[in-house]
Amino acid sequence: MHAQTVMHLKDGLLEFERLARQQGLSETQVEAGRCAYFHELGIASFFYQSLQGLEEIHWVDSNSVLQRASTPQEAFEAVFGEMSRTRLSTLEPLDLSWMHRMLIRLNGFCIRLLLANRKKLLIIDGVRPSSQSFSIAARKNDSALVVLETPRKPPENLFKVIKAVQRSLGRALRLRGGLAASRMHPPTYFFHPHRVRSHMPEMKAVTAGIADDFRRKVFEISEPYMERIVGLTLGYERAMPDQMSMLKPAVISTDAINTSFRISACRVARKLGTQVVLFNHASHTPQSEAPSKTVGDLWASLGRIYSDHATVLAVRFPAIAGLIRELSPHGKKIIAVRQNSVLAATHSKPTFQITFAGNYVGENSHIPWMVETPDEFINGIAELAQAVGQIPEAKLVIRLKPQNNKTEINLAAIKQFVPHYPNVEISNGGSFKQALVETDLLVACISTTIDEALGAGRPVLLHSSRHRYNHLLGMSTPPDRNHRSAVYVSSKTPLVALLKGIIDAHQNRPLNAAELSTYTWPAGTPDMDEFAKLVLNMTQAHA
């Protein structure tokens, strides 16, 4: 099933690029459209393949109504069509009434007031941990630096726009009044592209040029969504030079250059001499298995791991540097950024604490092959709980991350589907760094918590219910005290036996530098503070 999905992705992206250029779409539109089509095609193929062979299909629609289909094709068109309409609704701009336009101008005044006679730091993605850490570190190096955030998605209604603009204006005035920078929340920057002509004729032509029946059906269902992506991209292309001229950012920081806004902003910023920092969040590492390698390489090329628009590739994990050098000509842009210093070893204790802190991607935006689906995610937790339940000397703490728009897994689902044992608990108290202090072993499949744990000197077990993706190479047989690793993979050894081996080999015995060397940067590598200073110096040298 996954191999078929990978084939659809690889061939479909090549065909999309060829046909889009043939119809005269701009390079920025092709790039943004390719990113959008990757997700549409990946979700569609994964879902389509999973339906094959089913004789009767039931599902609950967005109105919580139970629906039924007698054929996979009928279910695919209904469910995938609803997914596409949902994604389309998130792209629709707010009604630009006179009040809304006035509020946007007011926000522009707020930004100009805030940026007067100062350096600029525009955080495109201010939500991710790396961008936040970089922002804080940069402010330490230059207290006059201003931070701007763009929201991950526009406000849902005019009232929320009003509240956000009021907050931004208030922050700007307080900052000008001398409020300490460390107490400031970054103001939010709203950007709305110009309305542009329809690209439907071009999109129709792209649809008509697709040879494969399945991909044509995917495009027909999602054509309004793709049309909106292409139209928005042209709006950003036209407006972005004026926006960048107004903001004059010194640095743009992002975790991905894969949306219309980000691609357009970073293209223009490069021409203005702005440093564009792309933070990698360890979302993919080199793979050896063929389907996983193919789709991972495609994913990496979509502005997540490297990009022609970035001037600096901030790499938190050595394996990512290897992937960049393997896949792209951008090796000279790499600057290693060391994670937090190794934490002190946990105090000697009889109980070995295992912390689960994984992640999944919802069915509505699934990344085939790489990230766990909701059912795989909860099955993996259940398997882990069942194994730890048979090991009295161990304790499992399940940290359930707030999933934002991922609604498939919540506390109620964990309690219903995960076995109950006296040594298994669910707790999200305190920060993740605080949780690491007490952790003896971290368990996840794919998550930024993996490199955070290794950076803190904690061993990691990569565990998933399907074993179809390995985030890192690791030891898959039980270790002993003289032969152990910093990373383990649960595929070849029964989970209980593997966990017992890890406990025996690691309890009250911290990892040493040699065991961590494959997975972490050496001590002389810049930390986030040093990296921020380096980037700011590059900015000053260019100016």
Side-chain angles (χ1 to χ4, degrees):
M1 180 176 81
H2 290 288
Q4 186 70 24
T5 294
V6 172
M7 186 189 76
H8 281 149
L9 278 168
K10 185 177 180 181
D11 295 345
L13 287 177
L14 289 173
E15 193 168 20
F16 172 82
E17 277 193 72
R18 179 180 63 81
L19 293 168
R21 286 194 170 91
Q22 196 176 81
Q23 296 305 315
L25 300 183
S26 71
E27 287 298 315
T28 309
Q29 289 172 321
V30 172
E31 190 175 349
R34 182 172 178 264
C35 293
Y37 192 43
F38 173 86
H39 288 283
E40 290 293 283
L41 192 56
I43 296 163
S45 183
F46 186 82
F47 180 57
Y48 182 83
Q49 298 298 327
S50 68
L51 290 176
Q52 301 312 301
L54 299 177
E55 296 180 357
E56 191 171 322
I57 302 164
H58 298 265
W59 72 95
V60 177
D61 66 16
S62 59
N63 296 317
S64 301
V65 176
L66 184 66
Q67 302 286 357
R68 177 186 178 277
S70 55
T71 67
Q73 185 70 10
E74 182 184 346
F76 172 73
E77 293 189 24
V79 177
F80 180 63
E82 186 172 37
M83 287 181 182
S84 282
R85 287 190 294 276
T86 299
R87 283 188 291 279
L88 178 63
S89 66
T90 64
L91 296 173
E92 288 299 328
L94 301 171
D95 177 26
L96 291 177
S97 64
W98 69 270
M99 181 178 289
H100 193 179
R101 289 194 295 270
M102 181 187 72
L103 287 168
I104 292 173
R105 281 197 286 271
L106 180 62
N107 195 45
F109 165 75
C110 161
I111 291 171
R112 283 191 292 273
L113 179 67
L114 188 66
L115 301 183
N117 302 316
R118 295 174 182 271
K119 292 180 183 176
K120 279 73 65 175
L121 175 64
L122 171 61
I123 301 293
I124 291 182
D125 179 1
V127 179
R128 293 285 190 173
S130 286
S131 288
Q132 289 179 328
S133 299
F134 178 57
S135 169
I136 294 168
R139 290 294 289 273
K140 287 181 185 176
N141 281 280
D142 188 343
S143 59
L145 202 62
V146 173
V147 179
L148 293 178
E149 288 186 355
T150 60
R152 298 198 69 139
K153 64 177 185 177
E156 296 171 359
N157 57 51
L158 189 58
F159 175 73
K160 291 186 177 181
V161 173
I162 294 171
K163 297 296 290 183
V165 172
Q166 286 176 338
R167 286 196 300 271
S168 291
L169 184 58
R171 290 167 190 162
L173 294 174
R174 287 198 299 274
L175 182 61
R176 295 290 286 176
L179 185 66
S182 61
R183 293 167 57 196
M184 285 285 297
H185 291 289
T188 300
Y189 166 51
F190 296 103
F191 177 79
H192 298 270
H194 299 316
R195 290 185 180 274
V196 295
R197 67 176 177 83
S198 170
H199 284 265
M200 196 59 77
E202 288 89 338
M203 300 309 290
K204 291 282 189 188
V206 172
T207 304
I210 291 177
D212 179 77
D213 287 341
F214 167 77
R215 293 203 301 273
R216 184 184 296 112
K217 177 58 67 177
V218 171
F219 221 128
E220 287 173 354
I221 293 174
S222 61
E223 191 173 62
Y225 171 76
M226 296 298 299
E227 157 74 8
R228 192 81 188 106
I229 290 287
V230 171
L232 283 172
T233 306
L234 184 57
Y236 287 125
E237 278 186 324
R238 290 177 177 176
M240 196 54 69
D242 291 339
Q243 293 287 316
M244 289 292 108
S245 295
M246 179 191 79
L247 293 170
K248 296 185 176 62
V251 184
I252 290 181
S253 167
T254 180
D255 75 311
I257 306 177
N258 64 346
T259 65
S260 301
F261 172 73
R262 292 171 179 176
I263 292 167
S264 301
C266 292
R267 277 185 187 273
V268 173
R270 283 291 310 275
K271 293 178 182 178
L272 296 175
T274 296
Q275 295 296 330
V276 178
V277 180
L278 174 58
F279 273 102
N280 176 267
H281 283 261
S283 53
H284 182 62
T285 50
Q287 298 290 298
S288 56
E289 196 276 339
S292 184
K293 177 175 174 55
T294 299
V295 77
D297 294 354
L298 289 172
W299 173 244
S301 71
L302 294 172
R304 296 302 302 253
I305 311 296
Y306 59 86
S307 171
D308 292 340
H309 313 312
T311 60
V312 174
L313 301 177
V315 177
R316 306 193 309 169
F317 223 35
I320 298 295
L323 181 66
I324 293 169
R325 294 189 180 102
E326 175 186 314
L327 298 179
S328 78
H330 295 287
K332 292 182 179 179
K333 296 180 180 180
I334 294 173
I335 298 181
V337 183
R338 184 163 47 90
Q339 286 289 82
N340 49 301
S341 300
V342 174
L343 295 172
T346 57
H347 55 275
S348 181
K349 55 185 181 179
T351 302
F352 189 88
Q353 180 163 314
I354 301 169
T355 300
F356 175 86
N359 202 357
Y360 73 95
V361 171
E363 302 286 9
N364 199 41
S365 56
H366 183 56
I367 305 163
W369 195 268
M370 293 174 57
V371 187
E372 289 187 296
T373 60
D375 60 307
E376 291 170 339
F377 178 76
I378 202 163
N379 284 339
I381 298 175
E383 289 176 358
L384 182 64
Q386 188 172 26
V388 175
Q390 300 174 55
I391 309 174
E393 66 271 28
K395 172 186 176 182
L396 173 62
V397 177
I398 301 170
R399 287 183 64 86
L400 187 62
K401 178 181 178 181
Q403 298 295 344
N404 301 322
N405 62 333
K406 303 177 195 174
T407 57
E408 295 91 346
I409 305 297
N410 52 30
L411 181 60
I414 292 287
K415 289 182 176 179
Q416 180 179 355
F417 295 109
V418 173
H420 296 264
Y421 295 95
N423 59 342
V424 175
E425 68 177 58
I426 303 169
S427 173
N428 270 349
S431 68
F432 178 67
K433 185 174 181 179
Q434 291 171 325
L436 275 180
V437 171
E438 296 299 319
T439 296
D440 296 299
L441 174 71
L442 178 96
V443 182
C445 172
I446 175 171
S447 171
T448 56
T449 59
I450 293 170
D451 54 310
E452 290 180 63
L454 291 168
R458 301 297 191 255
V460 167
L461 170 64
L462 305 179
H463 173 66
S464 64
S465 59
R466 298 286 178 87
H467 309 297
R468 57 178 167 79
Y469 170 82
N470 287 334
H471 192 64
L472 289 167
L473 295 176
M475 193 170 177
S476 57
T477 55
D480 57 46
R481 287 182 155 261
N482 299 314
H483 179 59
R484 62 181 195 170
S485 176
V487 174
Y488 297 89
V489 180
S490 65
S491 57
K492 297 180 180 178
T493 305
L495 192 52
V496 172
L498 183 59
L499 286 172
K500 285 184 174 180
I502 294 172
I503 293 170
D504 290 342
H506 289 272
Q507 189 162 28
N508 300 322
R509 295 184 66 233
L511 289 167
N512 58 49
E515 291 168 326
L516 287 166
S517 62
T518 303
Y519 307 104
T520 59
W521 295 112
T525 304
D527 61 16
M528 187 62 79
D529 285 347
E530 294 163 336
F531 171 75
K533 186 175 181 179
L534 182 64
V535 172
L536 292 174
N537 287 340
M538 291 167 60
T539 301
Q540 292 169 351
H542 187 276

